[in-house]
Amino acid sequence: MVQYQLPKLSYGYDELEPFIDTETMKIHHQKHHQAYVDGLNKSLEQVGSEFHPQYISSILSDLKSIPELGRSAVNFFGGGFENHRIFWETMTPNSEGEPGGKLEDSIDVYFDNFENFKKVFSKTATAIQGSGWCWLVFNPTYNKIEIITTQNQDSPWTVQKTPLLGLDVWEHAYYLKYQNKRPDYVKAWWNVVNWDYVGNRFSELSE
Ligand code: MN
């Protein structure tokens, strides 16, 4: 890899309104995500790993490939970089509202039905103490989907799980519009989930 860059969004900052407000989108992408990009480039450089041959998700899966001195910084900024990249990709102004195909079937198997899945995911996301993420992941060891949480910017890759859908519950993701009302933010976010994208990711992984 050469240098990581801030990924472009495939929609405008105002297009997730009224669920996620323009100002939050702008600051979150241009300031917060940019800081993770810069921090990742800097932390790789500091340990002489700026030409690490693998993409950050592979590095996070095997942090031992980074000198110990820089591991914690690469974990934080690399996780922050990749988590946010996935976060933007898994949102859309044109949400289908619910998953279809194989993902729908799998959700029915492990969570009974989509409504119950939403309930469990929302409850899990709301209960995260402090800053972190709630995820729908694919667990390749057991060939199944799971809901997990990570603290701060830890990535599911660090526990050998593949992120399919991620919800950022750091206050910077919702405070301007929702203040301390995280449950309201979580409820609104369901309206912008890109189920097409999430379903395609799942289909590619589970043969
Ligand atoms: Mn964030």
Side-chain angles (χ1 to χ4, degrees), residues 8-44:
K8 288 200 166 54
L9 303 189
S10 60
Y11 42 82
Y13 291 124
D14 60 344
E15 285 190 83
L16 303 182
E17 293 269 8
F19 309 109
I20 301 183
D21 62 289
T22 309
E23 192 63 11
T24 297
M25 283 298 297
K26 205 182 271 182
I27 296 171
H28 202 173
H29 183 247
Q30 294 179 346
K31 305 291 182 193
H32 291 281
H33 199 179
Q34 184 68 58
Y36 295 114
V37 174
D38 297 342
L40 174 58
N41 287 326
K42 200 172 150 205
S43 54
L44 286 172

Side-chain angles (χ1 to χ4, degrees), residues 136-140 143-145 160-164 202 205-206:
L136 172 67
V137 297
F138 177 69
N139 180 336
N143 197 36
K144 69 191 281 269
I145 53 168
Q160 322 307 323
K161 290 174 184 179
T162 310
L164 297 172
F202 177 64
L205 292 166
S206 62

